[in-house]
mmCIF file of all heavy atoms in Angstrom:
data_model
loop_
_atom_site.group_PDB
_atom_site.id
_atom_site.type_symbol
_atom_site.label_atom_id
_atom_site.label_comp_id
_atom_site.label_asym_id
_atom_site.label_seq_id
_atom_site.Cartn_x
_atom_site.Cartn_y
_atom_site.Cartn_z
ATOM 1 N N THR A 758 -36.362 35.431 104.607
ATOM 2 C CA THR A 758 -37.588 34.739 104.972
ATOM 3 C C THR A 758 -37.556 33.359 104.343
ATOM 4 O O THR A 758 -36.867 33.134 103.351
ATOM 5 C CB THR A 758 -38.851 35.476 104.488
ATOM 6 O OG1 THR A 758 -38.823 35.550 103.068
ATOM 7 C CG2 THR A 758 -38.953 36.863 105.080
ATOM 8 N N VAL A 759 -38.274 32.431 104.928
ATOM 9 C CA VAL A 759 -38.388 31.084 104.373
ATOM 10 C C VAL A 759 -39.854 30.698 104.349
ATOM 11 O O VAL A 759 -40.627 31.094 105.216
ATOM 12 C CB VAL A 759 -37.586 30.042 105.195
ATOM 13 C CG1 VAL A 759 -36.103 30.310 105.111
ATOM 14 C CG2 VAL A 759 -38.041 29.997 106.626
ATOM 15 N N GLU A 760 -40.230 29.925 103.339
ATOM 16 C CA GLU A 760 -41.598 29.431 103.278
ATOM 17 C C GLU A 760 -41.679 28.134 104.064
ATOM 18 O O GLU A 760 -40.858 27.232 103.887
ATOM 19 C CB GLU A 760 -42.030 29.218 101.831
ATOM 20 C CG GLU A 760 -43.499 28.908 101.719
ATOM 21 C CD GLU A 760 -44.034 29.028 100.308
ATOM 22 O OE1 GLU A 760 -43.378 29.671 99.469
ATOM 23 O OE2 GLU A 760 -45.099 28.471 100.064
ATOM 24 N N LEU A 761 -42.666 28.044 104.946
ATOM 25 C CA LEU A 761 -42.861 26.854 105.768
ATOM 26 C C LEU A 761 -43.766 25.860 105.059
ATOM 27 O O LEU A 761 -44.489 26.217 104.124
ATOM 28 C CB LEU A 761 -43.475 27.256 107.117
ATOM 29 C CG LEU A 761 -42.709 28.309 107.921
ATOM 30 C CD1 LEU A 761 -43.494 28.688 109.168
ATOM 31 C CD2 LEU A 761 -41.335 27.783 108.303
ATOM 32 N N ASP A 762 -43.752 24.626 105.500
ATOM 33 C CA ASP A 762 -44.603 23.590 104.911
ATOM 34 C C ASP A 762 -46.086 23.955 104.990
ATOM 35 O O ASP A 762 -46.885 23.501 104.194
ATOM 36 C CB ASP A 762 -44.387 22.250 105.625
ATOM 37 C CG ASP A 762 -42.999 21.672 105.349
ATOM 38 O OD1 ASP A 762 -42.385 22.064 104.338
ATOM 39 O OD2 ASP A 762 -42.540 20.844 106.146
ATOM 40 N N THR A 763 -46.451 24.776 105.948
ATOM 41 C CA THR A 763 -47.847 25.179 106.143
ATOM 42 C C THR A 763 -48.288 26.237 105.136
ATOM 43 O O THR A 763 -49.440 26.613 105.106
ATOM 44 C CB THR A 763 -48.038 25.749 107.559
ATOM 45 O OG1 THR A 763 -47.216 26.913 107.683
ATOM 46 C CG2 THR A 763 -47.685 24.733 108.615
ATOM 47 N N GLY A 764 -47.344 26.738 104.330
ATOM 48 C CA GLY A 764 -47.646 27.811 103.395
ATOM 49 C C GLY A 764 -47.396 29.179 103.989
ATOM 50 O O GLY A 764 -47.504 30.186 103.317
ATOM 51 N N SER A 765 -47.062 29.227 105.274
ATOM 52 C CA SER A 765 -46.735 30.485 105.940
ATOM 53 C C SER A 765 -45.315 30.902 105.576
ATOM 54 O O SER A 765 -44.543 30.116 105.053
ATOM 55 C CB SER A 765 -46.833 30.328 107.460
ATOM 56 O OG SER A 765 -48.157 30.089 107.846
ATOM 57 N N VAL A 766 -44.985 32.134 105.901
ATOM 58 C CA VAL A 766 -43.641 32.648 105.680
ATOM 59 C C VAL A 766 -43.068 33.040 107.027
ATOM 60 O O VAL A 766 -43.731 33.686 107.829
ATOM 61 C CB VAL A 766 -43.656 33.870 104.732
ATOM 62 C CG1 VAL A 766 -42.270 34.462 104.583
ATOM 63 C CG2 VAL A 766 -44.216 33.471 103.374
ATOM 64 N N ALA A 767 -41.829 32.639 107.284
ATOM 65 C CA ALA A 767 -41.189 32.940 108.563
ATOM 66 C C ALA A 767 -39.975 33.825 108.347
ATOM 67 O O ALA A 767 -39.287 33.710 107.336
ATOM 68 C CB ALA A 767 -40.760 31.661 109.269
ATOM 69 N N VAL A 768 -39.712 34.696 109.294
ATOM 70 C CA VAL A 768 -38.516 35.526 109.286
ATOM 71 C C VAL A 768 -37.425 34.761 110.006
ATOM 72 O O VAL A 768 -37.633 34.213 111.083
ATOM 73 C CB VAL A 768 -38.775 36.879 109.980
ATOM 74 C CG1 VAL A 768 -37.484 37.648 110.158
ATOM 75 C CG2 VAL A 768 -39.766 37.693 109.171
ATOM 76 N N VAL A 769 -36.251 34.726 109.395
ATOM 77 C CA VAL A 769 -35.126 33.978 109.944
ATOM 78 C C VAL A 769 -33.987 34.951 110.216
ATOM 79 O O VAL A 769 -33.678 35.793 109.395
ATOM 80 C CB VAL A 769 -34.665 32.881 108.952
ATOM 81 C CG1 VAL A 769 -33.446 32.169 109.472
ATOM 82 C CG2 VAL A 769 -35.796 31.913 108.672
ATOM 83 N N ASP A 770 -33.371 34.832 111.381
ATOM 84 C CA ASP A 770 -32.232 35.663 111.733
ATOM 85 C C ASP A 770 -31.195 34.779 112.402
ATOM 86 O O ASP A 770 -31.503 34.101 113.382
ATOM 87 C CB ASP A 770 -32.670 36.785 112.678
ATOM 88 C CG ASP A 770 -31.572 37.807 112.909
ATOM 89 O OD1 ASP A 770 -30.666 37.921 112.064
ATOM 90 O OD2 ASP A 770 -31.619 38.491 113.940
ATOM 91 N N ASN A 771 -29.983 34.783 111.864
ATOM 92 C CA ASN A 771 -28.913 33.933 112.390
ATOM 93 C C ASN A 771 -29.362 32.480 112.500
ATOM 94 O O ASN A 771 -29.146 31.810 113.498
ATOM 95 C CB ASN A 771 -28.407 34.447 113.746
ATOM 96 C CG ASN A 771 -27.745 35.791 113.613
ATOM 97 O OD1 ASN A 771 -27.100 36.073 112.595
ATOM 98 N ND2 ASN A 771 -27.902 36.639 114.595
ATOM 99 N N ASN A 772 -30.038 32.009 111.461
ATOM 100 C CA ASN A 772 -30.496 30.623 111.344
ATOM 101 C C ASN A 772 -31.506 30.200 112.407
ATOM 102 O O ASN A 772 -31.654 29.033 112.714
ATOM 103 C CB ASN A 772 -29.312 29.654 111.335
ATOM 104 C CG ASN A 772 -28.468 29.839 110.105
ATOM 105 O OD1 ASN A 772 -29.000 30.050 109.018
ATOM 106 N ND2 ASN A 772 -27.165 29.781 110.259
ATOM 107 N N ARG A 773 -32.232 31.135 113.005
ATOM 108 C CA ARG A 773 -33.307 30.762 113.921
ATOM 109 C C ARG A 773 -34.573 31.496 113.506
ATOM 110 O O ARG A 773 -34.532 32.662 113.086
ATOM 111 C CB ARG A 773 -32.950 31.061 115.377
ATOM 112 C CG ARG A 773 -32.765 32.504 115.684
ATOM 113 C CD ARG A 773 -32.241 32.717 117.112
ATOM 114 N NE ARG A 773 -31.838 34.081 117.254
ATOM 115 C CZ ARG A 773 -32.575 35.031 117.816
ATOM 116 N NH1 ARG A 773 -33.739 34.747 118.329
ATOM 117 N NH2 ARG A 773 -32.143 36.271 117.889
ATOM 118 N N MET A 774 -35.701 30.804 113.587
ATOM 119 C CA MET A 774 -36.963 31.403 113.183
ATOM 120 C C MET A 774 -37.412 32.396 114.250
ATOM 121 O O MET A 774 -37.478 32.057 115.429
ATOM 122 C CB MET A 774 -38.048 30.348 113.001
ATOM 123 C CG MET A 774 -39.300 30.916 112.391
ATOM 124 S SD MET A 774 -40.482 29.668 111.932
ATOM 125 C CE MET A 774 -41.589 29.779 113.317
ATOM 126 N N LEU A 775 -37.680 33.618 113.827
ATOM 127 C CA LEU A 775 -38.121 34.645 114.761
ATOM 128 C C LEU A 775 -39.639 34.672 114.886
ATOM 129 O O LEU A 775 -40.176 34.773 115.968
ATOM 130 C CB LEU A 775 -37.616 36.016 114.332
ATOM 131 C CG LEU A 775 -36.101 36.171 114.315
ATOM 132 C CD1 LEU A 775 -35.731 37.550 113.808
ATOM 133 C CD2 LEU A 775 -35.525 35.934 115.690
#
Side-chain angles (χ1 to χ4, degrees):
T758 62
V759 294
E760 189 166 342
L761 305 175
D762 291 339
T763 62
S765 294
V766 176
V768 171
V769 176
D770 189 23
N771 295 326
N772 294 320
R773 64 187 169 99
M774 188 171 100
L775 297 177

